[in-house]
Amino acid sequence: MVTLNSYNLTWWVYTNNQLRSIKDLAPVTECEINSLEEYNQRRLTPATPSLISQWQWGFVCLGLYLGALLYGLDTTISASVQGPILASLGEIEKLAWVGIGFPLGSVSVILLLGWCYTVFEIKYLMIGSIVGFEAGSAICGAAPNMNAMILGRVIAGIGGAGMYLGGLTYISVFTSLKTRPLYNALIGLCWGLGCILGPIIGGSFSVSSASWRFAFYINLPLAALLSPVYIFLFPKHNAQPQTPGPTKLARIDWVGAVLNATVFTLFQVVLTFAGSTWKWNQAGPIALWVVFGASLITFVVQQVFSFFTTPERRIFPIHFLKSRTQILLYTSTAASSAGLVIAVYYLPLFFQFTRGDSAIRASVRLLPFITVTVFFIMFTGGLLPILGRYSPLYVISGVFLLIGSSLMHTIHIGTATGAIYGYEVLAAIGIGATMQVAYSVSVAKVKHHDTQNAIGFINVAQIGTMAIALSIAASIFQNRGLINLKEALQGYGFSEQELRGALAGAQSAVLMGGDMVVKTKAVEAIIKTMNSIWIIPIVAGAVSFVSGALMKWEKVALTTTSA
């Protein structure tokens, strides 16, 4: 018999007359076990009933799911309000940042926040994140200019990342391995639903008397409604209650955190502005590329050799790079995220340009995509504990995403709407099938002390890839689109500013001048550009397929439960 407690990293138990080492999920309170089997049974037992009541846990889940929904909503809500924002605030060269600013803010702090959730009181971090998210939303709604809008989006992204990580942390702390896939699937369902409903809700406000500003203000009353739940019902959990706060702060890998944020920010800035605001061969973007490369190398070296920190405290879980499974889970999750964000942002644009749809009508055309994506997020979340094996899901996901995206790459002005819906559905199956699976698999494959690292690692893949994919797509759309428009409308005397206005969907002379020949040529050039953007999900589908094929043919220790 041996006593276990939550502060040990390694425990020893006698079973079958042998001394065995356990490095796995620790119980929250001290307990005694007689065998390895009893220990495993204990760690698979949900902690929730003994800590909080079922009705309280229900309200906690409601708060977590709303947070995930709002986070997903703000990730994509700008997709259908960029036109009205541009008409109101101007500065077309900064327009892409309305969409990019939110995921950029998130990915810049994901690893830092993930580390904080392992050492600080998670309830206070969650509430602080909600306050930050709401503050950013309020700034966006009241923005007098584009700079304020971008600032608000970044702040909201930081707060949103804390909300999302907080939800995943609560689930990892208060649920068992048995129930965790279902809870993760529900978090993923709400986040994915928010992502896909974002353009619809944003489009609804943009054409209403309330204006686009209420697409951001809507977050305020929703969070206020559940504020008593966050304040009074959310349980506390501090993994290191005996360590003083200043000591915890001093242990943070601040150098790594700053370098991580710098790398992502520089990449987004140079990729977004090069070619649109700056010429590619100008000194400004060249210098930024050099600084970005130097920052990336510095970050890698600092993390590998643990400069100014220790291997246990470095911000990036670099030991995961030694695991084939973790690397493949990362790449395949990134693939699903890339497919999702491209579809959500550019499918409505296709219908606006080719069918003359309003923002709300174009967004409603995403419903087939919404329904199928949400269904498969839930389906695979419930299937994983039954199937056990995860690699087939990624192989199937890659096949469907590759086929659906390849078909979307071929569409043109005359493509039947029904055919496009069919292509959407194929891509949606691939995206939804593996959108959240890695959260359960990655956590199940690591030791307890690496749980938060696993969540943060996959979150970087999911949210970070969204920011990167949006930046790449925006660069293609602005640069390749301008070239295509210049070629199509050569000799018509349009200025570069007017052509860029057409790409933004603004009321430009190109699209609203009354000349149908000009409009048709312009739309054909824009759709040709969008077809180029669909190469991103095509590559993502191939990556998902290859990742799944290279994964171990193994079962993870997850079983279904009625709890």
Side-chain angles (χ1 to χ4, degrees), residues 143-155:
N145 52 53
M146 193 63 82
N147 288 336
M149 169 60 68
I150 295 170
L151 176 64
R153 291 288 286 164
V154 172
I155 293 174

Side-chain angles (χ1 to χ4, degrees), residues 316-329:
F316 187 84
I318 205 160
H319 55 288
F320 283 5
L321 300 183
K322 299 178 182 179
S323 167
R324 182 179 76 181
T325 299
Q326 295 294 343
I327 292 173
L328 294 175
L329 288 173

Side-chain angles (χ1 to χ4, degrees), residues 377-395:
I377 287 175
M378 290 301 300
F379 177 74
T380 53
L383 179 64
L384 180 62
I386 300 173
L387 184 64
R389 304 187 189 276
Y390 53 91
S391 56
L393 298 178
Y394 288 100
V395 172

Side-chain angles (χ1 to χ4, degrees), residues 246-437:
T247 302
K248 294 177 181 179
L249 288 172
R251 290 176 178 175
I252 293 176
D253 179 12
W254 290 109
V255 174
V258 171
L259 286 172
N260 175 67
T262 300
V263 167
F264 273 103
T265 301
L266 285 175
F267 181 77
Q268 304 289 75
V269 169
V270 70
L271 194 61
T272 303
F273 287 137
S276 56
T277 303
W278 306 315
K279 300 296 182 183
W280 286 97
N281 58 358
Q282 284 183 331
I286 293 175
L288 281 176
W289 278 120
V290 172
V291 175
F292 162 74
S295 299
L296 178 60
I297 293 171
T298 303
F299 178 58
V300 171
V301 171
Q302 188 263 340
Q303 291 295 291
V304 170
F305 296 100
S306 302
F307 291 137
F308 308 106
T309 186
T310 66
E312 295 77 21
R313 298 171 188 167
R314 56 192 170 193
I315 200 75
F316 187 84
I318 205 160
H319 55 288
F320 283 5
L321 300 183
K322 299 178 182 179
S323 167
R324 182 179 76 181
T325 299
Q326 295 294 343
I327 292 173
L328 294 175
L329 288 173
Y330 184 101
T331 56
S332 50
T333 301
S336 296
S337 293
L340 176 68
V341 76
I342 296 301
V344 168
Y345 265 80
Y346 288 94
L347 276 172
L349 274 182
F350 174 85
F351 286 112
Q352 284 180 285
F353 282 116
T354 62
R355 306 294 192 267
D357 286 354
S358 63
I360 178 62
R361 181 171 175 77
S363 298
V364 168
R365 291 186 187 270
L366 275 173
L367 283 175
F369 184 84
I370 294 172
T371 305
V372 175
T373 300
V374 168
F375 173 80
F376 275 91
I377 287 175
M378 290 301 300
F379 177 74
T380 53
L383 179 64
L384 180 62
I386 300 173
L387 184 64
R389 304 187 189 276
Y390 53 91
S391 56
L393 298 178
Y394 288 100
V395 172
I396 294 171
S397 169
V399 169
F400 277 97
L401 180 56
L402 182 59
I403 294 174
S405 301
S406 298
L407 291 171
M408 288 300 299
H409 178 62
T410 67
I411 62 176
H412 50 81
I413 294 179
T415 303
T417 301
I420 297 173
Y421 289 161
Y423 304 161
E424 284 182 33
V425 166
L426 291 174
I429 293 173
I431 292 167
T434 52
M435 179 58 68
Q436 293 293 113
V437 169

Side-chain angles (χ1 to χ4, degrees), residues 157 175 178 311 490:
T175 67
K178 289 181 178 181
Q490 188 175 12

Side-chain angles (χ1 to χ4, degrees), residues 193-205:
L193 187 61
C195 280
I196 300 168
L197 289 178
I200 297 177
I201 294 176
S204 299
F205 280 115

